[in-house]
């Protein structure tokens, strides 16, 4: 599956040509709201800035800058009912790992705006938790030359929305972020539960015949799939960030062999700058709506004049022309 990260600093000519072909777009094409997508508002905004609320909005376009990494001090282990044994820093804040990173060899991929939402844990000033294997601690050199703590090879992060010790608000975010166990693996108990921005559910896209809207795309739980007119396909950018994702969870990456009746044109994974991976069709990011409580609900249709169900050809359903 192709992956496009709009936080990437550069793309080779060959890769750019491949992506352009896959997306079926040329620079300067019109976005769904009639603006040139090259002028779309940048997606790189702090997750807690309030930018991109459910009704849309615009930002200043300033680049996010992550804070200087700090060490974890004396690591500790907290045993909770939801997740079991969870690794924390010396102040009791949960440490997390990112599925897009690698452990063997270690590689950290959360940078720029992503690292603002998920602050990096520095490798220095860190000692093993009592009763754990100190040999599991290591470090990886990041792209900016700084050293990041690894546990069992996995780079460690905190979550900006954990504002007090013991919180696990980052658990399951985007289906890619998980609290770390003392060995660097995912915390064992309920490791797939999500506290914020719950992904759309089991992989799969198919078509449902709605009595009012006609043929529309649904996810693996048969929940209605939506597009946001303030997003753009080329360059691929999102205007739904931060609190917006609580109302409009992303559709996580989908395997092509689980797609039935839906176009596979521009079928790529969008590596968002906040670290969440999102499925697209026709290179347009897909979402579900928290206000839809059961299969068949279409409560997100037309919300704010910017959110619409999606046809099997990736078009907006009954959007004003």
């Amino acid at each position: 599956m192709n992956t496009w990260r709009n936080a990437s600093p550069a793309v080779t000519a060959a890769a750019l040509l491949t992506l352009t072909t896959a997306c079926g777009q040329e620079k300067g094409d019109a976005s769904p709201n009639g603006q040139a997508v090259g002028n779309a508002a940048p997606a790189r905004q702090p997750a807690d800035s309030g930018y991109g609320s459910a009704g849309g909005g615009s930002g200043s376009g300033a680049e996010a800058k992550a804070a200087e990494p700090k060490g974890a001090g004396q690591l500790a282990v907290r045993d909770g009912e939801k997740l079991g044994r969870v690794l924390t820093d010396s102040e009791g804040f949960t440490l997390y790992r990112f599925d897009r990173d690698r452990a063997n060899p270690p590689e950290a991929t959360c940078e720029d705006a992503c690292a603002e939402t998920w602050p990096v844990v520095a490798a220095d000033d860190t000692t093993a938790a009592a009763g754990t294997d100190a040999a599991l601690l290591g470090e990886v050199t990041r792209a900016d030359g700084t050293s990041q703590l690894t546990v069992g090879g996995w780079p460690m992060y905190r979550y900006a929305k954990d504002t007090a010790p013991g919180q696990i608000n980052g658990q399951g975010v985007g289906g890619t972020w998980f609290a770390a166990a003392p060995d660097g693996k995912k915390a064992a108990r309920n490791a797939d539960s999500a506290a914020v921005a719950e992904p759309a559910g089991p992989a799969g896209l198919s078509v449902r015949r709605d009595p009012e809207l006609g043929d529309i795309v649904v996810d693996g739980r048969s929940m209605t799939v939506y597009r946001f007119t303030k997003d753009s396909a080329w360059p691929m950018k999102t205007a739904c960030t931060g609190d917006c994702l609580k109302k409009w969870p992303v559709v996580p990456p989908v395997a092509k062999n689980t797609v039935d009746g839906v176009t596979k044109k521009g079928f790529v994974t969008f590596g968002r700058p906040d670290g969440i991976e999102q499925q697209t069709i026709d290179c347009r990011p897909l979402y579900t709506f928290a206000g839809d409580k059961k299969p068949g609900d279409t409560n997100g249709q037309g919300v704010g004049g910017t959110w619409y169900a999606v046809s099997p050809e990736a078009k907006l359903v009954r959007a004003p022309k």
Side-chain angles (χ1 to χ4, degrees):
M1 184 179 295
N2 295 320
T3 300
W4 172 255
R5 298 184 64 205
N6 80 347
S8 298
V11 181
T12 65
L16 183 58
L17 178 60
T18 299
L19 180 65
T20 302
T21 303
C23 293
Q25 299 287 334
E26 297 292 341
K27 189 173 182 180
D29 282 356
S31 69
N33 63 355
Q35 297 178 344
V37 297
N39 297 326
R44 284 187 179 183
Q45 298 290 335
D48 296 328
S49 67
Y51 173 79
S53 60
S58 62
S60 64
E63 294 290 327
K65 184 177 180 180
E68 285 295 320
K70 68 175 183 178
Q74 174 71 58
L75 295 174
V77 178
R78 181 179 68 247
D79 197 351
E81 292 183 3
K82 289 186 177 180
L83 297 177
R85 288 164 58 81
V86 172
L87 194 63
T88 75
D89 65 13
S90 60
E91 298 177 354
F93 283 87
T94 301
L95 300 189
Y96 296 90
R97 43 164 284 175
F98 184 28
D99 277 358
R100 289 190 64 196
D101 289 347
R102 293 182 182 177
N104 187 24
E107 180 183 1
T109 61
C110 178
E111 302 172 359
D112 302 319
C114 174
E116 185 178 67
T117 303
W118 302 91
V120 169
V121 179
D124 58 357
D125 187 31
T126 301
T127 55
T132 64
D133 185 358
L136 291 173
L137 302 189
E139 61 184 75
V140 61
T141 301
R142 297 174 53 80
D144 60 6
T146 59
S147 294
Q148 181 174 1
L149 174 69
T150 63
V151 179
W154 287 98
M156 291 289 110
Y157 304 83
R158 298 178 179 88
Y159 184 44
K161 290 189 177 181
D162 283 349
T163 57
Q167 292 182 345
I168 50 171
N169 296 318
Q171 174 66 10
V173 168
T176 54
W177 290 92
F178 297 93
D183 58 1
K185 297 179 180 179
K186 298 176 186 179
R189 213 173 297 154
N190 297 329
D192 293 325
S193 65
V196 179
E198 183 179 357
L205 294 175
S206 59
V207 179
R208 184 183 75 231
R209 183 73 178 177
D210 184 85
E212 298 293 330
L213 301 178
D215 288 343
I216 59 174
V217 178
V218 296
D219 72 359
R221 300 177 303 168
S222 296
M223 301 299 287
T224 304
V225 169
Y226 298 90
R227 274 180 43 199
F228 187 27
T229 62
K230 296 193 177 185
D231 288 350
S232 66
W234 185 261
M236 198 181 297
K237 293 181 179 179
T238 177
C240 182
T241 62
D243 287 343
C244 175
L245 294 179
K246 295 180 181 179
K247 292 184 178 179
W248 302 93
V250 307
V251 174
V254 172
K256 277 191 175 182
N257 62 4
T258 65
V259 177
D260 183 15
V262 179
T263 181
K264 294 180 183 178
K265 174 186 175 184
F267 191 92
V268 296
T269 298
F270 176 28
R272 298 162 53 96
D274 52 18
I276 298 172
E277 292 198 338
Q278 183 171 12
Q279 184 62 50
T280 74
I281 51 175
D282 198 21
C283 292
R284 303 186 186 274
L286 302 178
Y287 306 81
T288 54
F289 182 45
D292 287 345
K293 303 303 182 184
K294 64 183 185 305
D297 285 351
T298 56
N299 298 317
Q301 175 68 7
V303 169
T306 55
W307 292 92
Y308 295 93
V310 183
S311 77
E313 296 76 33
K315 306 297 183 184
L316 299 172
V317 174
R318 296 195 178 180
K321 302 233 178 178

